[in-house]
Amino acid sequence: MLPTGNRIQVSILVAARNEEENIERCLQSLHELNFPKENIEIIIGDDDSDDRTYELVSQFIIDKPAFKLIKITSQVAGLKGKANVLAQLAHEAKGEYFFYCDADIVVQPIWISQMLGHFKPETGVVIGITRMKHIHMLADLLSMEWLFALTATRFFSLLKIPITGMGNNMAVTREAYFAIGGYEKIGFSIVEDYTLFMSIVKEGYGFTMAYKPEVISISEPMNTFPELLRQRKRWMHGVMQSYWLTRLSLFVSSLIVPILLVISIWFPINVLSSIIQYYVLVTGISLTAVFMLKQYDLWKAALLFWFYMVSIGLIMLVNYYLPSKTIWKGREY
């Protein structure tokens, strides 16, 4: 799908709040995209940051006409946070396609062209792949978590079963976005990417997944356990709103050991053998993702991932049901 003329074909929309540590890496990767500059625009919405995000973006884009920075200080249609920013950026965008990436993401130079290649006439949304920067074992386990979940998402997408979208690596058509009324019609959600994806699918548009190494974006990982808990509190809202199969998978994977122990009371099953079989299944899927997506540095994490998965799943469930506020980017939801 090659660009023609001097019109804007792709609008990249980036919501940023308090991202002074990450934003320049993101902007540099967007600047290095291998796509005609006259056919692309990059719009950054600063979500009323109280650090140096706005200043750093302003300095970076001063001599780069493809970039545009907007200070977001008001709310539209009762929206908050990232959804509010993206709703306003959509009305500034001129492109036929809206591409989304987070402010802590680094994209590959061929990201745009590779994602565009997955759009067909009926397609409304294309989902990409994201992993974490390779800096420590926790980051690798988080990467493996992403790749495992996205591999499952890929499988179900082939069966035309919608699982989820990803706000840090996703593209939608302008037509599909405004056909559903945009974020103003969707309403506020702390998991705005999932609600956008599902709204487009429910409107009758097709969806697909760009399951290939060429579209993999690199995210900054959570570096502490409290950070991870805050992030997962938010994610769990998305899981609990998602397709029933996703919810069931979370509960089964998180509670597999006690489930097997309970079952063994009434049925003659070998609990240890069942756990080993489950480990082999999960590890097999993990290694398949590692090799299919050519992320060979994650092979050790793939072997350890089962232990992480059953632990973090249970922690996520407990954390979700605890009576506490969801805090994200310094705001309570």
Side-chain angles (χ1 to χ4, degrees):
M1 191 175 299
L2 297 174
T4 58
N6 292 321
R7 58 181 166 77
I8 299 297
Q9 186 185 26
V10 170
S11 299
I12 302 176
L13 310 182
V14 183
R17 175 170 168 79
N18 296 344
E19 292 285 357
E20 64 180 8
E21 298 295 326
N22 305 309
I23 191 67
E24 290 177 292
R25 290 190 295 272
C26 176
L27 297 178
Q28 186 62 39
S29 72
L30 295 174
H31 179 59
E32 294 173 357
L33 282 168
N34 184 15
F35 199 80
K37 292 294 189 287
E38 64 271 18
N39 298 121
I40 191 172
E41 63 178 357
I42 301 156
I43 312 176
I44 302 98
D46 177 67
D47 188 12
D48 203 22
S49 297
D50 50 26
D51 65 358
R52 296 180 61 237
T53 297
Y54 187 87
E55 176 188 347
L56 292 173
V57 176
S58 298
Q59 293 173 354
F60 184 89
I61 71 173
I62 194 167
D63 59 346
K64 300 176 179 64
F67 286 79
K68 182 178 182 180
L69 173 61
I70 300 174
K71 184 76 169 178
I72 305 294
T73 58
S74 60
Q75 294 181 336
V76 297
L79 297 172
K80 296 184 288 185
K82 190 175 177 182
N84 177 56
V85 175
L86 295 177
Q88 296 187 47
L89 296 188
H91 289 284
E92 296 287 335
K94 303 181 181 70
E96 301 168 39
Y97 300 90
F98 296 167
F99 276 63
Y100 298 96
C101 81
D102 285 350
D104 64 348
I105 288 286
V106 171
V107 303
Q108 297 190 61
I110 57 175
W111 177 51
I112 297 293
S113 56
Q114 290 292 320
M115 291 282 281
L116 282 177
H118 286 77
F119 278 98
K120 307 299 182 207
E122 72 282 359
T123 306
V125 55
V126 173
I127 308 163
I129 305 284
T130 303
R131 61 159 290 176
M132 303 297 167
K133 186 189 295 183
H134 177 56
I135 53 177
H136 47 61
M137 181 52 73
L138 176 59
D140 287 351
L141 289 170
L142 294 173
S143 289
M144 202 62 253
E145 184 178 24
W146 277 99
L147 298 191
F148 184 88
L150 291 169
T151 298
T153 300
R154 167 62 173 169
F155 172 77
F156 288 110
S157 73
L158 296 175
L159 302 176
K160 304 302 180 185
I161 298 175
I163 298 297
T164 190
M166 289 208 337
N168 60 24
N169 193 342
M170 187 167 73
V172 306
T173 63
R174 180 188 191 90
E175 174 190 316
Y177 179 84
F178 284 110
I180 63 169
Y183 279 111
E184 292 92 333
K185 181 68 176 294
I186 295 173
F188 172 70
S189 171
I190 197 172
V191 282
E192 77 298 320
D193 47 1
Y194 171 77
T195 53
L196 176 61
F197 169 78
M198 289 304 298
S199 296
I200 290 175
V201 171
K202 289 176 181 177
E203 189 67 19
Y205 288 91
F207 66 95
T208 190
M209 189 165 187
Y211 190 81
K212 56 200 302 188
E214 290 81 6
V215 302
I216 293 178
S217 293
I218 308 298
S219 178
E220 292 295 318
M222 300 291 105
N223 292 307
T224 67
F225 192 66
E227 284 181 320
L228 183 61
L229 284 181
R230 285 193 293 271
Q231 182 194 60
R232 296 316 162 87
K233 184 85 170 181
R234 172 178 172 265
W235 283 12
M236 282 296 291
H237 286 278
V239 173
M240 293 307 180
Q241 295 174 22
S242 64
Y243 197 69
W244 68 266
L245 193 58
T246 306
R247 301 195 302 274
L248 178 62
S249 298
L250 173 67
F251 280 98
V252 170
S253 63
S254 303
L255 303 172
I256 187 66
V257 174
I259 287 173
L260 288 173
L261 289 172
V262 171
I263 291 175
S264 68
I265 296 174
W266 290 281
F267 298 95
I269 66 169
N270 186 318
V271 175
L272 179 59
S273 175
S274 299
I275 291 175
I276 291 173
Q277 290 176 45
Y278 185 44
Y279 170 82
V280 171
L281 174 64
V282 170
T283 304
I285 295 172
S286 301
L287 289 171
T288 298
V290 165
F291 285 98
M292 287 188 68
L293 295 171
K294 300 180 181 180
Q295 304 302 297
Y296 305 120
D297 60 300
L298 296 176
W299 71 269
K300 292 181 182 178
L303 297 177
L304 296 172
F305 176 65
W306 181 87
F307 301 96
Y308 166 85
M309 184 180 76
V310 297
S311 302
I312 196 65
L314 183 58
I315 292 170
M316 284 169 60
L317 283 174
V318 172
N319 187 47
Y320 174 75
Y321 285 110
L322 285 176
S324 61
K325 292 282 189 179
T326 300
I327 301 174
W328 192 243
K329 299 293 183 181
R331 291 177 174 149
E332 289 188 357
Y333 296 97

